[in-house]
Amino acid sequence: MTNPNKPAGVQGVHTPTPWKAAIWRHSGQPDTVCIKDAQGREIIGWNGFDGVPCTKAEIRANAHRIVTAVNCHDALLVALKDLLANLTEGDFISEARIDAATAAIQLAEAR
């Protein structure tokens, strides 16, 4: 059976979170943007942004946005699935579920 949450052709398991973004500056060369795992190992790295219509600040912000999205994905998914699974019209939503959803949203909004 295929996993409906995994795009076709994707195999394996992603690197565990949390991830962190880092920018390496090289004298006279383009910055290297990299994403590291919790142990500080580089898992994604790229440079040479010639032709990309973004400023360096936008590129850095995009790297941090990718990391934030990856790091909060599981918490958001769990909180929202739990809310939906336990919500029927007119139901009371427990404070614990509201707290879990709020915490996931705060994680997603962290900068």
Side-chain angles (χ1 to χ4, degrees), residues 16-93:
T17 57
W19 293 3
K20 296 181 180 181
I23 310 298
W24 295 17
R25 292 183 174 84
H26 307 283
S27 179
Q29 298 179 20
D31 291 350
T32 299
V33 177
C34 58
I35 295 177
K36 297 181 176 189
D37 68 8
Q39 287 73 43
R41 295 176 299 196
E42 185 176 325
I43 55 175
I44 299 171
W46 65 99
N47 59 10
F49 292 100
D50 294 339
V52 175
C54 294
T55 65
K56 284 186 177 186
E58 283 178 291
I59 291 167
R60 289 184 197 105
N62 289 342
H64 287 283
R65 178 104 172 142
I66 291 166
V67 167
T68 298
V70 167
N71 288 341
C72 72
H73 177 268
D74 293 341
L76 283 170
L77 195 57
V78 167
L80 293 174
K81 282 184 175 183
D82 182 64
L83 279 174
L84 289 175
N86 293 285
L87 184 63
T88 59
E89 191 172 333
D91 267 357
F92 172 79
I93 300 173

